[in-house]
Amino acid sequence: MADLFAAPAPQVISVSALNRLAREALERNLPLMWVAGEISNFKRYDSGHSYFTLKDAQAQVDCVMFRGRAQLLGWLPKDGMQVEVRALPTLYEARGKFQLGVEVMRRAGLGALYEAFERLKARLEKEGLFDAARKRPLPRFPRAIGIVTSPQAAALRDVLTTLRRRMPGLPVWVYPTPVQGEGAGERIAAAIALAGERRECDVLIVCRGGGGIEDLWAFNEEVVARAILDCPVPVVSGIGHETDFTIADFVADRRAPTPTAAAEMASPAREDLSKLLMQLGRRLLRTAVRSLQDRVQRLDYLSRRLIHPGERIRHQLSELQHLSTRLAGAWMRGVENLGWQTQEIRLRLIACKPDVQGCARESAELARRLREGVRRQLEAAAALVRRLDAHLTHLNPQSVLERGYSITEGADGIIVRDGSRLALEEEVKITFARGWVGALVKRKG
């Protein structure tokens, strides 16, 4: 009896099912989130997947960053780095191990920098600092070029080397300023303002070498953007590498991917100018020769047209005589044409004059023919009427009765054509030419 009221046995599940339920519960209740900590035990395998531990003073958690996400990093994580990861808490079912599936990783503090960058970029763009319509074209042949950068920067050497190669005689003004560190933004802005005040150059290059966002942050400050905007000289930015973008790049009149490219963009190439000058020289020579030849030919043509005044008068008199002869001939031809036209019109009038007597004769003949035709038609119609009357008379049943015949009708009123269809003692009606009688059939033959 005790067994009947015993509690039901609990459901038993496997370890894999338990781990799966735990993973689903974690992923359902813990969303994608940002987690900060220090990297330790970082390993990147040949497969491209990265495994590491993220820790702080009180705890640690295992992390995995798969190859597709790890390839997007522009830098190599190392042990001891303070980072921020955007990850999904999950459970590795095979080992029952809690871990973070990392999708994005950035160095600690860069998140605030990116947010500040985006806020300033949006505000300045709304004010119109990035509008393409306000940006100025670069002069094709600048008389001097200015450079705002650090004297110790490798970017300065690259720019000077490029300018020396492209245009050795072009004057270069350097406005030295720190490009990194405390107060670098204000000093860069002051150097740009100084270059604008002195007006020593036609193009200003603002440049520095590559680095992380914190290294390039001085060029993301609003004071630098305002200085570029207010600079009366066109500004070319060559900051960092091709993938680096700063606020200064958006405000500058032209943005170059590297300092070297900025130098190439701001200065003409001597070799190209030499080739252009040679081409222009050849074109000028060809134009001059062609113009001279045209003028010589025109002179020869005019010399052939140059005639003695007496000869010109004789030629004009001869032409006048010829025109007089042509005029007289044309007048005579005109008179003759008018005469022929008059004769043609007279003949046409004669041809168009009506013949009254002929028309009268023709009308009389037509009247006679009409009367004759009507008479013949009436005679033919009378003959036809007579024929039809004779035919109708011949077909009239009364005429047949007049010749002694009679018509016999049965009791049903149908004319009898066959005597065999009558019965004895049947009453019939016999119609004569005048009158009728009733009779009874007494015999049949």
Side-chain angles (χ1 to χ4, degrees):
M1 183 65 71
D3 294 336
L4 294 176
F5 298 99
Q11 182 183 3
V12 179
I13 63 174
S14 64
V15 175
S16 58
L18 174 64
N19 287 351
R20 184 170 59 255
L21 291 173
R23 178 182 61 79
E24 292 175 354
L26 279 172
E27 294 179 354
R28 186 168 55 249
N29 293 285
L30 293 179
L32 199 65
M33 61 181 67
W34 285 97
V35 181
E38 178 185 335
I39 295 178
S40 66
N41 299 323
F42 182 86
K43 293 181 182 179
R44 176 173 289 179
Y45 289 87
D46 295 337
S47 62
H49 307 322
S50 300
Y51 298 88
F52 58 94
T53 300
L54 195 65
K55 65 180 182 178
D56 58 17
Q58 286 79 32
Q60 64 181 25
V61 62
D62 290 335
C63 302
V64 58
M65 192 173 192
F66 294 108
R67 180 179 60 185
R69 299 293 182 177
Q71 288 177 344
L72 300 178
L73 286 178
W75 50 283
L76 180 63
K78 296 180 180 180
D79 290 347
M81 282 187 175
Q82 294 289 332
V83 295
E84 297 171 354
V85 297
R86 190 168 184 260
L88 179 68
T90 185
L91 188 79
Y92 180 42
E93 294 183 23
R95 299 183 60 115
K97 184 176 68 173
F98 175 74
Q99 65 181 15
L100 297 179
V102 178
E103 294 191 358
V104 179
M105 181 188 299
R106 66 191 182 195
R107 283 172 279 194
L110 295 187
L113 290 179
Y114 280 118
E115 293 176 3
F117 173 83
E118 292 296 336
R119 285 197 303 271
L120 179 60
K121 180 174 176 290
R123 181 161 59 84
L124 296 182
E125 185 175 12
K126 185 176 180 180
E127 292 183 21
L129 270 68
F130 305 160
D131 289 348
R134 69 149 200 84
K135 297 191 177 184
R136 298 157 293 187
L138 303 182
R140 187 176 182 184
F141 301 107
R143 292 170 297 178
I145 292 181
I147 305 174
V148 174
T149 190
S150 172
Q152 291 79 30
L156 177 60
R157 293 192 296 273
D158 295 340
V159 171
L160 292 177
T161 301
T162 303
L163 293 177
R164 190 178 303 111
R165 171 176 54 83
R166 291 175 62 85
M167 186 60 66
L170 186 64
V172 177
W173 295 88
V174 179
Y175 302 93
T177 177
V179 293
Q180 184 177 345
E182 186 72 23
E186 288 78 4
R187 300 184 67 175
I188 294 172
I192 295 173
L194 179 62
E197 292 174 2
R198 291 186 177 180
R199 295 292 187 94
E200 297 166 328
C201 56
D202 297 329
V203 181
L204 185 63
I205 299 176
V206 179
C207 63
R208 69 146 289 160
I213 186 172
E214 68 277 10
D215 300 326
L216 304 178
W217 189 252
F219 296 92
N220 288 323
E221 295 187 14
E222 183 176 1
V223 64
V224 176
R226 300 289 182 184
I228 294 176
L229 178 67
D230 296 335
C231 184
V233 178
V235 177
V236 179
S237 65
I239 302 165
H241 301 299
E242 187 172 358
T243 56
D244 297 325
F245 281 90
T246 64
I247 297 295
D249 292 324
F250 294 111
V251 183
D253 298 290
R254 294 288 295 275
R255 184 253 175 186
T258 61
T260 300
E264 293 176 350
M265 191 179 294
S267 63
R270 179 180 59 177
E271 295 180 359
D272 295 342
L273 291 179
S274 298
K275 293 178 182 178
L276 179 61
L277 286 175
M278 293 178 63
Q279 293 175 0
L280 293 176
R282 288 193 293 269
R283 288 176 57 186
L284 181 62
L285 179 61
R286 287 196 300 270
T287 303
V289 171
R290 188 162 50 248
S291 177
L292 183 61
Q293 292 173 350
D294 292 343
R295 292 177 182 275
V296 169
Q297 290 179 358
R298 182 172 177 78
L299 181 61
D300 294 339
Y301 174 72
L302 293 176
S303 64
R304 288 195 299 271
R305 292 182 58 189
L306 186 61
I307 303 175
H308 190 275
E311 182 66 24
R312 182 182 294 274
I313 293 174
R314 285 192 297 272
H315 176 73
Q316 290 178 350
L317 288 175
S318 175
E319 184 177 0
L320 183 61
Q321 183 65 32
H322 175 67
L323 292 175
S324 175
T325 304
R326 288 179 59 189
L327 179 61
W331 184 79
M332 291 300 297
R333 284 194 299 272
V335 172
E336 291 178 359
N337 290 335
L338 289 175
W340 284 109
Q341 291 178 5
T342 304
Q343 183 67 16
E344 181 181 0
I345 292 172
R346 186 180 68 81
L347 294 176
R348 287 171 63 186
L349 287 174
I350 292 173
C352 294
K353 181 180 179 181
D355 185 3
V356 178
Q357 295 178 355
C359 290
R361 288 193 298 270
E362 185 177 0
S363 297
E365 178 65 18
L366 290 175
R368 186 190 65 77
R369 290 171 61 186
L370 179 62
R371 289 192 298 273
E372 183 67 21
V374 170
R375 185 183 61 77
R376 285 197 297 269
Q377 290 290 332
L378 291 175
E379 291 177 353
L384 178 62
V385 169
R386 287 193 296 272
R387 286 197 303 272
L388 293 176
D389 181 65
H391 185 64
L392 289 174
T393 302
H394 176 73
L395 295 178
N396 190 357
Q398 187 66 32
S399 300
V400 178
L401 294 177
E402 290 290 342
R403 290 196 300 271
Y405 294 95
S406 62
I407 299 173
T408 303
E409 300 178 20
D412 53 4
I414 297 176
I415 295 174
V416 179
R417 292 181 177 85
D418 186 2
S420 62
R421 81 176 189 83
L422 296 176
L424 295 175
E425 299 298 328
E426 182 179 350
E427 183 178 358
V428 296
K429 178 183 178 182
I430 301 173
T431 303
F432 302 98
R434 283 174 289 279
W436 61 278
V437 295
L440 292 177
V441 179
K442 295 296 183 176
R443 293 191 303 274
K444 293 174 62 175

